[in-house]
Structures are given as C-alpha cells and as structure tokens.
C-alpha cells in the first residue's frame, strides 16, 4: 500500500506489476486500486519454491515508485512416492539359495520434509523380503527355498508410502517366475502291479500297462519305461516280458506254459529325461492262468514197456461191493481242469462191475456166477472238468477164479483210508489159499505112494522130508509119475498156520529125460 502527499487528482494512486518481473507475474494478480495481490494460477512448490515480484505505484501526476515483493511457496503433501526399478531377474531357478537378489529398485518423493520421507513394505510375502542397499535403494531377495511344483509364479507387491498428512503411497508388482530343476523322480500310481495271462497265449500279447508321473516340467517331466534286472547281480532282465517305452504297456513276447511257469516277476523302471536323469522302479507280477491243455494220465493200471497190464483176480466167493481194483490218474492242469471223474465205458459183463465216479474204485456190482466169463475186460473212461473236457481210458483185465471154498475178496468201505493196500492183501490171501490147496494135494499123493511101498516091502516107513524126496525121485525114475516135472515138498511144523514153501523143481536128483 502506498501513500501520496498531494491532493486531488495528483493524490490518486494506481498499482501494477513491473514488466521486468518475468514470468512470475502471470501467476499472480494485483488490484490496481487497492494493491491487493492474488493468485492467478496454482503454485507448485516442486517447480518453484519462491517468486519475486516488482510492484509499481503511480499517482495521478505521473510520479511512480516501485517495491520488490518475494512470495515463498510452502510445500504440501501432494506427490506420491515413486518406485524406479533398476534391475529385475525372472525367471529364477527353484533351487536358488536364500538371499538371492531378484530385483533392485529406488524410491523417491518430490515433496520435502516429512512429506518426502518414504518407507517400503511387501504385502503378505513369506518367500521374499526387502533389504536396504544404499540411500533410497532397496533389494528384493529370497528368504526361503522355492518349489516350482508347489508354486510356479510368485506375485510380489512392493508398497512405498510417505509420512505426510494424509500419507500418500504407490506400489509396484513383480511377477517372479520359477524355472524348473530336475528334483523329482517319476512316481508310479501303484506300489505294485499284478497282471494275468492265459497260457498258450499269442506272441507279443498286451496284458496291461504301468503308469508313472513326474512333477517336473519339460524334459525333466518326460517319462520313459524299461524292464530292468530284478537283482543287481543279474546282467539281463526277463526275456519273455517287455514294456513299451512311451506308453508303459506290458507285453508277453512268447507263449507261456502254466505247467512249466505259473508266475514270474519283473521290475519296470520309469526314468525322466533330466540331467542327471532320475528314476524309480516297481514290481510287476505276472500270473499265468491255466488252460485245459493236458489230458488225464493213467498211472494204474498201466502197461509198462509195451506189455499188457496184469490181471486182477476175483475169487468165486466174492460178494457185491468188494473192491476189485482202482484206477489211479492224474492231470497236470490245475483247478477244475484237474478235477477227474471216472466212468465205466465198456465191459464184458457191464452189470458185474461198477466204477466210483470220484474215487475210480472198481467194485463188484453183484457176486460172480458160473455164467460169467472167466476173463473179464473193462475199459474205464477218465475225464477232467475243463472246458472243453479232455479224457483218457484205462484197460483192466479181471480173472474170475473158479472153485468153492475160495475166500471172498475183503470188503472195504468207500471211506477206507488205503484202497491199494487192501487190494494187495486180498490178492495175497487168494494166492496163499490156492497154493495151500495144491500143497495138500501133493502131500496126500506122496503119502499114498509111501503107504503102498510099505505094504510091498513090509519095512518101516519114514514120513520125513528126506524120505518123501527119495520116494518121489525113485518113482520118477521108475516111470510111475506121469508128470514132466519133479517137486520137492518140505513141510514144517505149523506150516498150516503161517508158513509155507512153494513147490520147486528138483532137477539134480532126476535123470535128464524126466525133467525139462
């Protein structure tokens, strides 16, 4: 405000900015009558902190004066902090050590004082941290191990805020990609595999597949399969099984025989294409399923060396239900393919014999009669339970021993424990009785001859074995024995109970023309 001592028109004063002020006067206004200075445009502390103005006062008489006015601009918090990135590394390997620098950045605020004081922070981060480097510079570093398989990308948000009132802030987002490292071996979806193949299979038959996955990416996660030796000492893996390297399909390369190989176990390895490669293995158990490819094999009765089978003896006194023989057969197959059943296929007298369907025992259906042929021939069919069934036949020859008083065959219930032993015992008893009858007849004949000789000679008669032998020899020499063979009869005390001796030729005691 200026004053003038003059009166009247000469005392009226007007105000204006001097033209020499420069650009600052455009930011301000002045009232020419009152001299009040105002702001024409917004002021920016960061652009110019103070302005110098020259005000000129002119009276009505043309006289003037000037004064300099300095306007200082006060700072207010009108600028947010800035984040300036100097370097940024992405992607980073998942196996980097903690403390690895990922990014370097600087922060600044154009405001002054507390308005320009900046602090930085991360939003909810456990794997990364900020580390001050030097004035207004920070480093973004790792603080823990990274795992690409758990998280392939991390979003890190850095926030910078000033201390103004109210505070202003800004943020910057770092997208950190994690590159893969071959740190995971392939994993099979099963701990072991069991597969099945029918015997007599076709060559190169697909029987199943194994499957393994690798959590790594790219070549590190590409899996290939192979069959490896089951034990370290083995040089070559199993030659009858292979695995397709890409799909994991398991193939059986050649036909298998259940009777020779019922199961086999191979080890399949899954390896990735990383460097170095990682691998894992799994056991594959291959079970061979039986097919009905074996006919029953008859063990008894069976011809040996091409000779016909021996005949079974049945005494005339045998009763219905007595055991005559037993057909014994086996089948190399398993399960129901090896279940055998027996059936009488043909017989000389079909009504005389019966065959146990499960046991193979041949028994008398009725007692033998005089009308039955002495020699009976039977054919027994042995069939398994496979699909389709296979069969074999067993031929038996049975001799019916005629005569009365013959001991019957010992009976044996189907539930008896040892059928073969009972059959053998029956045959031995029959042979003993037949032989005993023959011995008794021979002894009676010799006794009669001795009695006749006693009557003729009037001398004493000896009944010992030596006298019998001597008499038989003399009689043969004299031509009284019409038979072609000479026999020695030796009887001991109690021979009728437990011991007997078969007749045997006495060749040395007779002339050559009487023994053949």
């Amino acid at each position: 405000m200026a004053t003038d001592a003059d009166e009247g028109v000469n005392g009226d004063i007007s105000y204006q900015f001097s033209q020499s002020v420069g650009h600052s006067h455009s930011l301000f206004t002045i009232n020419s009558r009152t001299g009040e200075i105002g702001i024409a445009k917004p002021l920016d502390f960061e652009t110019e902190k103070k302005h110098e103005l020259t005000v000129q006062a002119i009276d009505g008489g043309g006289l003037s004066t000037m004064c300099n006015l300095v306007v200082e601009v006060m700072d207010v918090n009108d600028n947010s902090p800035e984040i300036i990135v100097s370097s940024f590394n992405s992607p980073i390997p998942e196996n980097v050590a903690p403390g690895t620098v990922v990014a370097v950045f600087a922060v600044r605020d154009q405001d002054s004082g507390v308005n320009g004081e900046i602090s930085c922070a991360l939003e909810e981060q456990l794997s990364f941290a900020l580390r001050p480097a030097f004035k207004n510079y920070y480093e973004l570093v790792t603080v823990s191990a990274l795992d690409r398989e758990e998280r392939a990308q991390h979003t890190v948000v850095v926030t910078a805020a000033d201390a103004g009132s109210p505070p202003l802030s800004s943020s910057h987002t770092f997208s950190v990609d994690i590159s893969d490292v071959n740190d995971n071996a392939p994993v099979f979806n099963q701990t072991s595999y069991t597969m099945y193949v029918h015997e007599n299979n076709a060559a190169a038959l697909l029987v199943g597949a194994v499957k393994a996955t690798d959590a790594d990416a790219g070549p590190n996660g590409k899996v290939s399969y192979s069959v490896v030796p089951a034990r370290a000492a083995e040089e070559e893996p199993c030659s009858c099984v292979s695995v397709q390297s890409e799909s994991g399909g398991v193939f059986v390369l050649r036909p298998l025989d259940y009777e020779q190989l019922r199961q086999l176990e191979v080890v399949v390895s899954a390896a990735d294409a990383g460097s170095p490669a990682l691998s894992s293995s799994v056991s594959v158990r291959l079970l061979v399923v039986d097919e009905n490819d074996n006919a029953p094999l008859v063990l008894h009765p069976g011809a040996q060396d091409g000779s016909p089978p021996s005949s079974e003896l049945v005494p005339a006194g045998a009763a219905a239900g007595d055991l005559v023989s037993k057909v014994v057969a086996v089948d190399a197959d398993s399960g129901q393919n090896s279940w055998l059943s027996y059936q009488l296929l043909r017989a000389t007298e079909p009504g005389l014999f019966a065959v146990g369907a499960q046991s193979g025992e041949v028994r008398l259906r009725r007692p033998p009669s005089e009308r039955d042929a002495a020699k009976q021939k039977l054919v027994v069919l042995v069939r398994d339970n496979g699909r389709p069934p296979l069969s074999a036949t067993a031929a038996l020859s049975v001799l019916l021993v005629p005569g009365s008083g013959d001991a019957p065959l010992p009976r044996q219930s189907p539930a008896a424990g040892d059928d073969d032993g009972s059959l053998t015992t029956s045959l031995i008893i029959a042979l003993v009785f037949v032989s005993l009858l023959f011995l008794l007849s021979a002894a009676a004949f010799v006794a009669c001859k001795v009695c006749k000789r006693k009557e003729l000679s009037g001398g004493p008669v000896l009944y010992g074995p030596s006298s019998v032998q001597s008499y038989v020899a003399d009689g043969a020499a004299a031509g009284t024995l019409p038979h072609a063979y000479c026999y020695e009869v030796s009887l001991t005390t109690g021979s009728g109970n437990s011991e007997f001796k078969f007749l045997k030729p006495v060749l040395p005691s007779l002339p050559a023309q009487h023994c053949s």
Side-chain angles (χ1 to χ4, degrees), residues 140-450:
L140 179 64
V141 298
T142 61
V143 294
S144 63
L146 303 176
D147 189 354
R148 189 207 66 85
E149 288 70 43
E150 291 185 0
R151 192 171 181 180
Q153 185 183 69
H154 293 262
T155 301
V156 182
V157 179
V158 178
T159 300
D162 60 27
S165 182
L168 300 178
S169 64
S170 61
S171 62
H172 184 85
T173 301
F174 294 95
S175 295
V176 183
D177 294 323
I178 310 301
S179 61
D180 184 56
V181 174
N182 192 27
D183 57 348
N184 291 278
V187 178
F188 285 94
N189 60 356
Q190 294 181 211
T191 56
S192 63
Y193 293 84
T194 301
M195 301 176 184
Y196 298 87
V197 57
H198 289 265
E199 67 171 328
N200 308 319
N201 57 283
L205 177 67
L206 177 66
V207 295
V210 297
K211 180 66 176 177
T213 56
D214 195 313
D216 294 322
N220 297 332
K222 186 178 180 181
V223 179
S224 60
Y225 305 91
S226 62
V227 179
V228 298
R231 300 174 183 84
E234 296 180 1
E235 295 182 357
E236 295 293 336
C238 178
S239 60
C240 59
V241 177
S242 69
V243 60
Q244 213 281 332
S245 60
E246 295 182 357
S247 66
V250 178
F251 293 84
V252 178
L253 301 181
R254 58 180 175 82
L256 301 179
D257 187 355
Y258 174 83
E259 287 70 40
Q260 296 182 359
L261 180 66
R262 298 196 174 189
Q263 68 176 29
L264 58 90
E265 189 169 324
V266 297
V267 177
V268 176
S269 173
D272 58 32
S275 180
L278 300 178
S279 64
S280 60
S281 60
V282 70
S283 174
V284 178
R285 186 183 183 193
L286 187 63
L287 300 180
V288 182
V289 179
D290 182 51
E291 293 287 335
N292 191 29
D293 58 346
N294 291 278
L297 175 63
V298 177
L299 301 180
H300 178 80
Q304 297 180 354
D305 301 329
S307 60
S310 59
S311 299
E312 307 289 349
L313 300 179
V314 177
D322 285 351
L323 180 66
V324 176
S325 183
K326 179 180 175 70
V327 177
V328 180
V330 295
D331 196 310
D333 295 320
S334 66
Q336 67 176 10
N337 295 330
S338 65
W339 298 348
L340 301 181
S341 59
Y342 302 84
Q343 174 185 347
L344 183 61
L345 188 62
R346 294 192 302 274
T348 304
E349 294 289 341
L352 182 57
F353 302 97
V355 177
Q358 304 300 325
S359 64
E361 294 177 346
V362 180
R363 295 180 177 273
L364 291 175
R365 187 187 296 270
R366 59 174 174 79
S369 64
E370 295 180 354
R371 295 175 298 176
D372 297 327
K375 186 174 183 180
Q376 300 284 330
K377 291 185 178 180
L378 292 78
V379 177
V380 177
L381 177 68
V382 185
R383 177 181 298 171
D384 61 28
N385 198 39
R387 294 291 181 271
L390 301 178
S391 61
T393 57
L396 291 89
S397 179
V398 179
L399 295 179
L400 302 180
V401 179
S404 60
D406 294 335
L409 289 174
R411 297 195 180 190
Q412 185 179 9
S413 64
D418 191 356
D419 296 334
D420 291 338
S422 299
L423 176 61
T424 303
T425 303
S426 301
L427 295 178
I428 291 176
I429 293 175
L431 287 174
V432 168
F433 275 97
V434 171
S435 300
L436 186 59
L437 289 174
F438 181 82
L439 288 174
L440 293 176
S441 299
F445 176 79
V446 171
C448 292
K449 291 295 183 179
V450 170

Side-chain angles (χ1 to χ4, degrees), residues 88 100-105 122 128-131 138-142 156 158 174 176:
F88 176 47
T100 301
V101 177
V102 178
V104 178
F105 61 92
L122 297 179
F128 298 88
L130 292 177
R131 183 172 66 192
Y138 294 87
E139 292 176 340
L140 179 64
V141 298
T142 61
V156 182
V158 178
F174 294 95
V176 183

